[in-house]
Amino acid sequence: MSKRIDKKLWGVLGKQQTYYSPQQFLQGKTKVPLNANPFDSWDVKRSRFNRVDGYENAVQQGGVVPQTSVPSVSPTPSPTANITPTATPTQTSTPQPTPTSTSTPQPTPTLTLTSTPTNTPIEDCYWNTNNENWNNDSTLWNDCVNVPSPTPSPTSTNTPTPSITMTQTTTSTPTNTITQTPSFTPSPTPSSTPTNTPTNTPSFTPTNTITQTPSPTPYDSAAVAYLNAIVNAGGTTSPTISAATNTFFITMRSNGFLTKTIAMYPFVGSTSASHVINANNPGVDNGTFSGGWTFNSSGSTPNGTNASFAPSNLATSQVQNYTMGVYVNQPVSSNGCMIGAYDSSIDLSQIYYSASTNTILNGVNTTFATYRNTTSQSQGFFAVSRLDGSQVVLKQNTSGTTTSQTFAANSQSLRVAARNSDGTINEYFNKRIAFVYLGSGYSDSQLITLYNAIQTYQTSLARQV
Amino acid sequence: MEVRLLTSQQKDQLSGQLLQIDWYFYPVQDCNGNWIISQQEIDNNVYPEFDWIKDLPKIEWCAPPPDPFPI
């Protein structure tokens, strides 16, 4: 062992090399003192402890630490190995100064090490092959000078320290390392981390899925009111019906049609009590059935003999801008009035099917006049609208015409599936009806939009044509 | 299609009466001037006071002449 206090023949773990003090090193000496940086001088090949970060000192040290082996493990190895790892990992895993203080327990020596400044590699008090703490005879080398030597019974004194340290080191450091790896690496293949991998992967996936999924359409208050009315009336609903109804109301509202609606009867719920409900304002202007009807999930079917539906007490004469429409989801084959009324002055409002000519006869507040819409398909959404005192628009689904006609008031109340012929109900209709609409005047394009909304609704209810 | 035959008195008893909430009896005349109600009305009546309609005789429906109103 050298007597120079600024250099040492380092024999740690069998490496016999001359190292210089940090001061000498700065002055041009080539070899970095081992304890300039604990990790820099860590020899993983010789130490019985492994650096948790897997970094090999030979690489880091640029070859300073020789790979030449020097045998004897001698009796020393034990304490050497124990102490070394203790200091090294403690500094590396910066986070935990705790372990050091924890290990403090009994042996005084440990306390000294702990209290020493961190920037000085004081913990790096290596042992040479003679089992001596070579730093002890140095006053300049580093702060290890105050490190008490293991004394006579180094084993007993040192053993507890390293063992405690070891426990903490291996526990804290490796744990962190392993835990972080899988969390950053989505699918680490290694078999060493299989447990962590699956755990992390699913924990991320479901979170994202749940976050994206919840985009439930908010319920329209009017839709909720209508659905509640159906249930209260003993009608049947389902998630499909609820969703379809909600979507319909949202569409109607977004197009500004709810405010144009006087009454509408979607005929949902499969019972007479639920089919009479005015969806636009449940409980107000509910309709009434008369005569022979059959109700089911597809709509309301009149018998064509004495069945009619009074949508409300509303007479078409009450408004100059007026729309009425009926969605029929069975092919029409015989004469019948889907909806209509006329008064003693023969002011007509109706949607009528003439079997002899396969013609739909529409009109709203016209003076003994109808508009003929010839079509090959005798089912779907039939609508007629008066926008003002002169214009009349008629539609079957998306096709139709617009014409001018002078306004003449009709003082009779409308009937669905029949016609109110000046107080007498006749011209009975016998095909299934799935929707009745009454509102203010619609333009041609608005009637198409209205049709699309109703058609989508019927499609969602699986009863469209 | 079969319907149920009513007397004039029975027709008056049923006119304007409910067979269910929001659903009315509606007697009409056939081609022969007979008053009738439909089978659906009988099947769906929920009021015991009208249970007698279940015993009404059945007849074949004959449509009355169309409305003279030109369509």
Side-chain angles (χ1 to χ4, degrees):
Chain A
M1 180 156 44
S2 171
K3 293 302 177 184
R4 289 186 57 182
I5 57 174
D6 59 345
K7 77 171 185 178
K8 286 291 182 182
L9 177 62
W10 181 247
V12 62
L13 300 177
K15 294 177 289 186
Q16 298 297 330
Q17 290 290 314
T18 299
Y19 296 95
Y20 297 88
S21 69
Q23 185 179 9
Q24 290 290 333
F25 173 73
L26 292 175
Q27 291 172 354
K29 299 295 181 182
T30 55
K31 296 185 179 180
V32 180
L34 286 178
N35 46 5
N37 181 327
F39 273 141
D40 287 349
S41 56
W42 186 268
D43 187 352
V44 294
K45 291 188 176 181
R46 297 179 184 282
S47 173
R48 67 187 179 100
F49 300 110
N50 293 322
R51 279 183 58 169
V52 293
D53 59 358
Y55 198 94
E56 303 224 357
N57 67 312
V59 177
Q60 184 177 6
Q61 190 79 343
V64 169
V65 177
Q67 295 305 308
T68 52
S69 63
V70 178
S72 64
V73 178
S74 71
T76 317
S78 318
T80 304
N82 286 337
I83 294 177
T84 303
T86 305
T88 308
T90 304
Q91 284 202 342
T92 305
S93 57
T94 319
Q96 307 273 25
T98 322
T100 313
S101 57
T102 308
S103 62
T104 317
Q106 341 135 7
T108 318
T110 314
L111 284 173
T112 308
L113 287 171
T114 309
S115 60
T116 314
T118 9
N119 58 354
T120 309
I122 45 86
E123 302 88 345
D124 195 16
C125 294
Y126 297 94
W127 295 78
N128 63 15
T129 52
N130 295 323
N131 197 24
E132 299 170 330
N133 181 349
W134 57 275
N135 282 307
N136 278 339
D137 58 2
S138 170
T139 54
L140 299 176
W141 189 254
N142 59 32
D143 290 338
C144 278
V145 292
N146 296 322
V147 175
S149 113
T151 60
S153 55
T155 312
S156 58
T157 307
N158 292 324
T159 305
T161 307
S163 65
I164 293 175
T165 308
M166 272 304 299
T167 307
Q168 294 174 338
T169 302
T170 50
T171 305
S172 59
T173 310
T175 302
N176 291 334
T177 307
I178 294 174
T179 306
Q180 289 173 351
T181 303
S183 66
F184 285 109
T185 310
S187 56
T189 335
S191 55
S192 58
T193 33
T195 312
N196 293 327
T197 305
T199 306
N200 290 329
T201 306
S203 70
F204 282 108
T205 309
T207 304
N208 292 331
T209 306
I210 294 174
T211 305
Q212 294 172 346
T213 307
S215 54
T217 308
Y219 266 84
D220 185 282
S221 58
V224 172
Y226 174 54
L227 290 167
N228 283 335
I230 292 174
V231 173
N232 292 336
T236 302
T237 59
S238 68
T240 300
I241 291 174
S242 298
T245 301
N246 188 49
T247 300
F248 172 70
F249 271 84
I250 289 174
T251 303
M252 291 290 284
R253 189 181 297 282
S254 66
N255 284 296
F257 292 167
L258 282 186
T259 57
K260 294 170 70 71
T261 300
I262 295 170
M264 56 182 176
Y265 307 89
F267 289 169
V268 170
S270 305
T271 66
S272 61
S274 62
H275 285 203
V276 299
I277 297 170
N278 170 18
N280 193 50
N281 192 1
V284 178
D285 284 335
N286 278 3
T288 54
F289 287 103
S290 294
W293 285 87
T294 301
F295 308 99
N296 58 35
S297 60
S298 295
S300 304
T301 307
N303 62 4
T305 300
N306 69 340
S308 67
F309 175 71
S312 71
N313 292 324
L314 183 73
T316 58
S317 61
Q318 294 173 355
V319 288
Q320 290 196 18
N321 292 333
Y322 192 80
T323 295
M324 59 184 184
V326 179
Y327 192 97
V328 178
N329 59 4
Q330 279 183 331
V332 183
S333 55
S334 58
N335 284 354
C337 190
M338 301 174 199
I339 184 171
Y342 78 85
D343 59 20
S344 55
S345 302
I346 316 182
D347 299 319
L348 177 69
S349 295
Q350 72 171 13
I351 298 175
Y352 187 101
Y353 176 76
S354 172
S356 59
T357 59
N358 188 28
T359 300
I360 305 298
L361 309 173
N362 293 353
V364 170
N365 288 344
T366 59
T367 302
F368 199 61
T370 58
Y371 295 93
R372 295 172 182 268
N373 180 24
T374 302
T375 173
S376 58
Q377 187 185 23
S378 56
Q379 57 184 328
F381 183 59
F382 301 92
V384 59
S385 179
R386 173 178 285 281
L387 270 175
D388 49 41
S390 62
Q391 257 199 347
V392 173
V393 181
L394 63 91
K395 286 285 184 188
Q396 180 185 357
N397 299 332
T398 58
S399 62
T401 59
T402 300
T403 188
S404 293
Q405 189 66 224
T406 55
F407 174 79
N410 181 336
S411 59
Q412 292 293 331
S413 296
L414 289 168
R415 284 288 176 144
V416 173
R419 185 175 66 196
N420 179 358
S421 302
D422 201 15
T424 299
I425 309 302
N426 54 20
E427 302 297 336
Y428 290 103
F429 185 72
N430 62 0
K431 297 304 176 186
R432 189 173 56 224
I433 297 171
F435 199 101
V436 175
Y437 182 83
L438 302 174
S440 56
Y442 278 66
S443 67
D444 185 281
S445 62
Q446 287 176 323
L447 279 182
I448 293 176
T449 303
L450 177 64
Y451 159 74
N452 286 331
I454 294 174
Q455 177 67 6
T456 299
Y457 189 21
Q458 301 307 316
T459 301
S460 298
L461 297 174
R463 60 185 201 183
Q464 81 286 0
V465 293
Chain B
M1 180 179 66
E2 286 189 332
V3 293
R4 298 299 187 102
L5 181 63
L6 295 170
T7 65
S8 180
Q9 186 181 9
Q10 291 171 326
K11 167 255 180 183
D12 290 338
Q13 286 182 277
L14 293 177
S15 292
Q17 299 299 314
L18 290 169
L19 60 102
Q20 280 189 21
I21 295 177
D22 299 318
W23 189 356
Y24 289 88
F25 287 108
Y26 197 76
V28 296
Q29 287 181 296
D30 66 6
C31 63
N32 298 313
N34 297 316
W35 288 101
I36 62 96
I37 57 172
S38 65
Q39 186 62 45
Q40 292 95 340
E41 290 163 272
I42 292 173
D43 293 341
N44 289 285
N45 171 55
V46 295
Y47 297 109
E49 62 265 39
F50 300 126
D51 278 349
W52 53 266
I53 61 175
K54 294 175 182 174
D55 301 322
L56 290 172
K58 296 178 179 179
I59 62 170
E60 194 63 26
W61 166 248
C62 169
D67 188 336
F69 177 76
I71 49 179

